[in-house]
Amino acid sequence: MIVLGIESTCDECSVALVEDGRRILSLVIDSQVDIHREFHGVVPEIASRRHVQTILPVYRQALKEAGLQAKDIQGLAVSRQPGLGGSLQVGMGFCKGLAFSLGLPFVGVDHVLGHLYAPHLEADIAYPYLGLLVSGGHSMICHIRGHDQVEVLGASIDDAAGEAFDKVARHYGLGYPGGAALDALARQGNPEAFRFPFSNLYKGNHPYDVSYSGLKNAVINQLDQFWDGTSERSLENIAASFERVAIDTLVRRLARALADTGLVRVVAGGGVAANTRLRASLKALPGIQAFYPSLRLCGDNAAMIAGLGYQYLVRGRTSGWDESVCARVRDFRRFYP
Ligand code: KG4
Ligand code: ZN
């Protein structure tokens, strides 16, 4: 079954064609990063207008790259939540128009679950496993029993992991978004030059929660307090020291959750899953099989939406014409979404 996926939650306009939830026939991503850079963040109004301009050409390009025509599409999937309301509306409206004109079923899918599905596009991964979703908007550790059976074990109680990378990067003038730039700098630095604190904050009885506001504050406002007194106070050393604590915070929680649940597989997704230290740390977990997507599937992309959408469509789950978008999903729930 060939499913066309549409992703427009934030500042990437993407369309993909995926066969049987696994084989990517084409994936086109129009990133708006260059447009939003001067504002140091995504401007929602500009993002939705740009989606309106690009979604049709991106769709046509996806068909062209796959060597297919509209009549070859058998179903449609679109991100319906969470994200920027105006941006989501563009993808949803386009999807409904296409579904109506082609007489095809469509399904709205959760973008966060899409990130967790991304590694399945490249490997056969058996359920259950421990899922780590780390993006600009979310940090979650989950017990995953199926593509839509997600029990949330922990989440960030303040900033998401990617948000912390972006804020630190912005403070030190590394541009926007800063995660990849910080990662590159960290490769040249000494991760022990600054001994930033590990936070053990969590909410209620959720010991797998993470918190980044203390680390962010330490790196931005209290640098000297954590300096080892001898290493160079260089950007490379700051980046490497920040990254060590930011990533090891996640890895420590994961190790604990793996021990407590007895799970033997861990699967990471989302923009921060591109991080070099995180990828190396996951592979180094003893006795654990670790999976993460290739770099192009870590960030926002429509292939993960088409892949997850296939899993619904093939089971007969479709959306009606009253399907709507939803900007937010409640921060912490035991079961997601
Ligand atoms: O999943 P994503 O593309 O968009 C959201 O759904 O949020 O994630 C974007 C986030 C940004 O915060 C970005 O700085 C971060 O992923 N990121 C990284 C790296 N590459 C992207 N963070 C750390 N290391 C990286 N290599
Ligand atoms: Zn995302």
Side-chain angles (χ1 to χ4, degrees), residues 153 155 157 200-209 256 332:
L153 302 178
I157 62 171
N200 280 317
L201 290 178
Y202 58 89
K203 265 191 185 161
N205 59 349
H206 302 133
Y208 311 104
D209 280 351
R256 183 171 172 183
F332 188 100

Side-chain angles (χ1 to χ4, degrees), residues 7 9-10 12 82 111-112 114-115 133-138 269-271 298-301 304:
E7 156 63 33
T9 49
C10 189
E12 260 94 34
H111 173 86
V112 170
H115 274 304
L133 183 273
V134 271
S135 69
H138 293 84
C298 285
D300 292 345
N301 70 85
M304 65 190 194

Side-chain angles (χ1 to χ4, degrees), residues 80-83 88 138 325-331 333 336:
R80 71 171 304 270
Q81 66 176 32
L88 285 163
H138 293 84
V325 303
C326 185
R328 288 184 68 83
V329 177
R330 258 200 297 150
D331 283 343
R333 289 198 251 182
Y336 187 91

